[in-house]
Every structure is written in C-alpha cells, then in structure tokens.
Amino acid sequence: PHCFLAPSPSNIDRVKVSENHRDLWRKEHGLPESTRVLCFFGSQGRDKQFDWVIESWKHCLRRGKQVVLVTSGGASRFSTSIEEARRLIAMEYAESSVISKVLQAGDLQLLPFDDGVSERRGSFMAGLSNGIPVMTTIGKSTGRTLRRKEFFFSSNSIEKQLFVDKVFKLILDTESSRNMGRSGNLQYAARYSWNHLVDKIRNMAL
C-alpha cells in the first residue's frame, strides 16, 4: 500500500475581492491607507504563544509605527492602554468569508507555534491560500520539507525576542513581504490545496 503525510488544506476559502480591497478595508475601519495590519486567528492557547503576537504588535507601536492587530477565534484577554485599544480589532469568532477578507487586507500573519509550523496547521494553510505573508516558527514538529522551503518567514520557536524583532523588520519591508505572500499562495496551490490533495489520492489509487 502507498502512504503519504496528508496536509490539512485551508478551510478558509479565498473570496474574490477588488484590486483596491486593501485600501477599501482600511477606509471601512477608519484607518489611514499607510496602516500596517498584523493578523492572528485561531485559539489563543499556550501552544500558539499568543503573548509573542501581543509583544510583536506592542513593540511596533512603541517604535512609533502605525500598526493594527486583528484577532479572531476567541475573546482576547490581555491588558491594553487606551491608545493600544484603538489599534486593536478583536472579532472573536467570524465567518470564513470575513476572515478571508481580513487576511487579504493584512500585511503579515503571525503564527508563533511553540512546537513549530507543520503542514497540519490549518491557520498556516489559510494564510498561504489567502496570499498574506506568514511569519511563523520552526520547531520540533516542523518536518524537513518546510524547513527547507522559502515561501514564508520564520524564526525558531524558542527565542521570543528574535521573533518580535523580525516582525518589526518585516512591517518596514513592504516589497519583500508582498512578494512572499505571492510565493506562499503559489506554493499552496501547487502543493497543499484541496485540488492537489484529491489529485494525489486519485493517482495513488490508480
């Protein structure tokens, strides 16, 4: 019998948006066009190291950058100043179409898994499928395939400050980030999408 490790394709279908969706989404939320949008969705448990996400966002704000954090997937329980609260959009649970629009408007998805990214992480796949550049971690659960890939940004899953510093650098480098988002989307379609998975299973059955 043939065996292979199946990925978990995205359950957030990419919805069609206009070419100026990024600007329209910011206008809808009362944000300047230059605002950088950091995204996180999913549960906020310890394995997601959500405190790394918060620290990355607050570090950008402390450095005087116009940055907003958008979260979805559960109530966000952490302390913020009045000014920080103005830079936070906490959606709790949202429909997949809403999340897709957020991801397509965003500049960077933050996924600092404590055991590292893997093909089984649905939120990672959702980021790739929706074309947002992903900043994640490499750890014990990261296989050889992803360790040698170059279609997402990463740091190790242990050093928090390294992750935070890299996020800050990435929000300043718009061109590299957008190129990475496009690269991730192409790799998702070629290697991890539902269509690719079905074709692979069908070919194995022949």
Side-chain angles (χ1 to χ4, degrees), residues 37-56:
V37 177
L38 303 177
C39 301
F40 174 92
F41 83 90
S43 63
Q44 298 171 11
R46 290 185 179 181
D47 65 318
K48 303 293 181 64
Q49 299 191 131
F50 187 60
D51 60 308
W52 290 30
V53 175
I54 300 305
E55 180 56 29
S56 298

Side-chain angles (χ1 to χ4, degrees), residues 94-115:
E95 295 181 359
S96 63
S97 60
V98 174
I99 295 176
S100 175
K101 290 177 181 178
V102 170
L103 292 175
Q104 291 184 72
D107 295 291
L108 195 62
Q109 183 182 20
L110 307 185
L111 298 172
F113 303 115
D114 67 349
D115 60 346

Side-chain angles (χ1 to χ4, degrees), residues 32-123:
E33 290 184 6
S34 59
T35 301
R36 306 291 279 166
V37 177
L38 303 177
C39 301
F40 174 92
F41 83 90
S43 63
Q44 298 171 11
R46 290 185 179 181
D47 65 318
K48 303 293 181 64
Q49 299 191 131
F50 187 60
D51 60 308
W52 290 30
V53 175
I54 300 305
E55 180 56 29
S56 298
W57 166 59
K58 290 188 175 184
H59 178 71
C60 293
L61 293 177
R62 288 193 296 268
R63 298 289 294 272
K65 302 306 175 184
Q66 186 85 340
V67 176
V68 164
L69 173 64
V70 183
T71 67
S72 177
S76 299
R77 298 183 179 89
F78 54 91
S79 60
T80 61
S81 67
I82 295 176
E83 182 58 30
E84 288 169 347
R86 296 193 183 105
R87 301 286 181 261
L88 173 66
I89 301 175
M91 301 191 301
E92 295 197 13
Y93 293 98
E95 295 181 359
S96 63
S97 60
V98 174
I99 295 176
S100 175
K101 290 177 181 178
V102 170
L103 292 175
Q104 291 184 72
D107 295 291
L108 195 62
Q109 183 182 20
L110 307 185
L111 298 172
F113 303 115
D114 67 349
D115 60 346
V117 69
S118 74
E119 292 90 343
R120 305 292 290 174
R121 292 288 191 175
S123 52

